[in-house]
Amino acid sequence: MFYLDFLIVILCFKPFRCRSLPAQRKYMRSPLIPEMATQEVQLNETLAHLKTESETLKSKLEEERAKLHDVELHQVAEKVEGLGQFVMKTRRTLKGHGNKVLCMDWCKDKRRIVSSSQDGKVIVWDAFTTNKEHAVTMPCTWVMACAYAPSGCAVACGGLDNKCSVYPLSLDKNENLAAKKKSVAMHTNYLSACSFTNSDMQILTSSGDGTCALWDVESGQLLQSFHGHAADVLCLDLAPSETGNTFVSGGCDKKANVWDMRSGQCIQSFETHESDINSVRYYPSGDAFASGSDDATCRLYDLRADREVAIYSKESIIFGVSSVDFSLSGRLLFGGYNDYTINVWDVLKGTRVSILFGHENRVSTLRVSPDGTAFSTGSWDHTLRVCDDCYFFIGIKYNQNLCTFNFTPCAPDKPPLSLTATHLPKYSNLKKHIYRST
Amino acid sequence: MSSKAHSSNNIANARRTVQQLRIEASIERIKVSKACADLMSYCSEHARSDPLLMGIPASDNPFKDKKPCTIL
C-alpha cells in the first residue's frame, strides 16, 4: 500500500524520475548479477524517494507547528503575580543505603517512600519517623528503577538484571520478602524506569533496549510494546488518570515521545533537547509535560499546541538535570541536578525561585509527595532528603549602616523573620541564621 | 544478497518513519496563546491548595521539625 502511495507521488510530482514497471521487468530477465545490480539501484531509488518524503513531512510538521506559535509562555504570564524567592529546608534525612541512591517513589499514603540503590538494596521508609520498614536485596547491582503500587501493598524494582520484579509487602517484618518475588518484565537490556498503572495489575517499563512495554503483573504477559526510540529509553511518566491512556517517555535519542497505551502507537514526538532526556513528568492537568536533560535545561512541552513552550535554564547552570517534578498546582517545577543542587522554577514566568543545597553528590531522583506537602530527593551521597519551604524572602531594608533581611514564613502560624547585619552577609551565613530560627 | 536484505531493512525503516511522520503531521493543534492561557488558569485555580506554593500551618505539617523543649 505504501509502495503505491509514493509511486503516485513520483508520477505526479517528479515526472523526470518516472520509470514504468513493465520496462524494468523486461530488463530483469538478463543474467543474475546485472539483475541484482538493477534491483539494488531500484531499492536505492525507493530509499531516496522515501527519504525525500520524510524530509518534506518533517518540514511540513515544523511549518504547521510554527503557524500556531503566536506567543511565548512567559509573555502570556506577564500579568501573573511573581513568586519572589523561597528558602527551602531539609526536614528529614534518610540514611541507610550503602551506595548511590538511584530511584525513589512515594506511596499514596503520603508517608512511605521506596528507594533503590547501586548496592542492590531496595528499602521502604516511613518518611515521618525515618524508620526503615522493609529491606530487600536484589540479585543485581544498580537497581535503577523502583515504584510503589497504588494499593501500597507491593513495590516493583529492577535494573541491570533486565527485569522488573514485584515484591508484595508483608506486615510481618520478619518475613523474607525475596521469597515472594514475582518476575514480571523481561527486557534485553537494563531496566531504566517502571511505573504501575492505575492498579496493582499492570506495570509499564522502559529499558536500555530502546523500548517501553506494558505487562500484566499476575501472568507476566507482555500486553503491549512501544517501539520508536532510536536509543536507550531513560524515563517514563503516565498521564494523570483523568486524561486518558497515554504516557510519555524520554531517551538517549534526545526525543520525548507520547504513546497511546492501547494501540502502541507513538502519537506525538518532540526533539528539541540537545542531549539525553533523563526525566519526564506530566503537568498536573495532563495537557503538558516537563523534561530534564543532560543539556542542563528543563523544558515544558504543551501537548495540544504540539510544541515546546518554555525552557528553564541559566547560564550559570551547566550540569545536567537528572529528575523533575511539579508541585500540586503545577506552578513550581523542581529539578534535581548533577551539581548536587535542587533548582526550583516558576513554571509560568520561567525564573528560578529557589536553590537548595545539602546533598554531597549529584541528585539522582526527585519526587513531590502525593499531597504536595513536601518533596523528596535521592542522591549519589547515599541519602534521601525530604524538604519543604520555610520562608519567602520579602526584601532588604537599609538603615544607615544596617541592612535588614525580611522573610515571611510559609507556615501562617509562625512569626515573620528579620535578620539584621552591619554588612551584606554571605548567602551561606544568612541561610545558617534562617535555619537556626525555624 | 546481504546488501539487498540490508537495503530492504532500510526501506522498511524509512517507510515506518514516513508513516509515523504522516500521523504526527495530521494531528489537530491549538494556538500557543490558548494553550498557555489554559496552563495559567489551571495554576491559579489550584494555587490555594498547593502546600509548597502557599505554605501550610506548622501544626498541620507532618514534616515539621521535632525540636526538644528549650528551658528558658
Side-chain angles (χ1 to χ4, degrees), chain A residues 55-120:
Chain A
E55 292 306 311
T56 315
L57 280 169
K58 271 192 198 152
S59 40
K60 181 180 171 213
L61 195 57
E62 281 317 304
E63 231 178 84
E64 290 297 314
R65 280 175 171 169
K67 268 189 214 163
L68 297 162
H69 185 201
D70 51 351
V71 76
E72 300 286 334
L73 175 57
H74 63 87
Q75 289 171 307
V76 179
E78 257 160 33
K79 43 192 161 152
V80 176
E81 211 181 300
L83 291 177
Q85 293 292 305
F86 289 67
V87 178
M88 303 233 157
K89 187 179 178 188
T90 302
R91 299 286 183 191
R92 300 283 187 276
T93 305
L94 307 177
K95 294 188 183 163
H97 276 295
N99 212 321
K100 309 178 171 74
V101 176
L102 301 173
C103 188
M104 61 134 307
D105 192 17
W106 286 88
C107 177
K108 283 209 157 70
D109 70 0
K110 314 151 208 170
R111 173 174 185 149
R112 285 177 180 79
I113 288 177
V114 63
S115 62
S116 65
S117 159
Q118 186 195 336
D119 65 359

Side-chain angles (χ1 to χ4, degrees), chain A residues 346-367:
Chain A
D346 177 337
V347 169
L348 301 179
K349 290 194 178 280
T351 54
R352 180 172 64 182
V353 296
S354 189
I355 179 168
L356 182 58
F357 303 94
H359 275 298
E360 291 159 22
N361 205 322
R362 58 165 80 174
V363 179
S364 53
T365 176
L366 184 155
R367 294 297 286 265

Side-chain angles (χ1 to χ4, degrees), chain A residues 30 70 89 104 112 120 144 155 238 244 248 265 322 331 384:
Chain A
S30 344
D70 51 351
K89 187 179 178 188
M104 61 134 307
R112 285 177 180 79
M144 292 175 247
V155 292
L238 275 134
V248 59
Q265 182 70 50
S322 62
R331 183 69 192 269
L384 290 114

Side-chain angles (χ1 to χ4, degrees), chain A residues 410-434:
Chain A
C410 295
D413 52 349
K414 290 206 118 184
L417 176 69
S418 267
L419 296 172
T420 308
T422 52
H423 54 272
L424 275 173
K426 276 205 324 225
Y427 187 53
S428 47
N429 289 338
L430 186 64
K431 286 184 101 177
K432 261 190 245 160
H433 284 292
I434 299 169

